[in-house]
Amino acid sequence: MKPSLATLALTAALTLPGLASARPVTLTTKLNNYGGDGAYLALYVIDAQGAYVRSLWVAGGKSKYYEHLSGWYRATGGGAAKINGITGASVGAGRTLEVTLDLADALFDAGYTLHVDAAVEDMRDSPNEVAVPLTTGGAGKLVPGRRYIANFSYVR
């Protein structure tokens, strides 16, 4: 076997078991009919000590409005460059955002919390609209929002 193929085989053997420790998770955010423009949403994870871990999804394409997602914006230091590829359009009133992504199994039942911040133009911002512990037992349960979000759930 050529050295480059042997290296590739060894790398795959070491990497593939690590991939098994993550699985697809569907995050569903249903908005209330609040009577305003589309909502900007930031879905992100905080660890047990309250430190920012990573952004999962940001709905709303204009970065100049991200500061209104104040919990997320403060946690990230306004680092919009770190979210390239995990953004989409804002979500209209009464609509549902459904995102499926891979989350590491290590995030569940280990003190991590998934947060959703919401902001709507010409309406009040809503940091920590939803804050839900990432637990195996919490999968599939509807969590009510505080202002713009009717409910949120995740399914593994």
Side-chain angles (χ1 to χ4, degrees):
M1 185 183 293
K2 292 184 178 181
S4 61
L5 288 176
T7 302
L8 179 62
L10 178 61
T11 302
L14 294 174
T15 305
L16 291 177
L19 295 177
S21 66
R23 68 175 86 175
V25 175
T26 300
L27 310 173
T28 304
T29 309
K30 179 166 179 29
L31 297 183
N32 288 314
N33 252 331
Y34 50 80
D37 290 332
Y40 272 52
L41 303 172
L43 290 78
Y44 59 102
V45 177
I46 300 293
D47 70 14
Q49 290 73 39
Y52 170 80
V53 176
R54 82 178 242 221
S55 297
L56 302 176
W57 189 261
V58 178
K62 295 182 180 176
S63 62
K64 68 181 181 178
Y65 298 120
Y66 289 167
E67 67 186 62
H68 295 283
L69 300 166
S70 58
W72 170 80
Y73 191 79
R74 187 173 39 258
T76 63
K82 297 177 185 175
I83 62 167
N84 190 24
I86 60 165
T87 60
S90 61
V91 184
R95 307 285 308 260
T96 299
L97 171 68
E98 188 172 285
V99 178
T100 300
L101 43 83
D102 287 339
L103 280 183
D105 290 340
L107 293 176
F108 290 86
D109 301 315
Y112 292 90
T113 304
L114 192 149
H115 290 256
V116 183
D117 287 8
V120 177
E121 187 174 359
D122 296 326
M123 298 179 87
R124 292 181 61 192
D125 298 345
S126 190
N128 291 312
E129 171 85 19
V130 171
V132 59
L134 284 173
T135 63
T136 304
K141 294 184 179 175
L142 293 178
V143 177
R146 296 183 315 133
R147 181 170 289 125
Y148 303 113
I149 296 174
N151 58 62
F152 172 84
S153 66
Y154 60 91
V155 179
R156 294 180 73 190

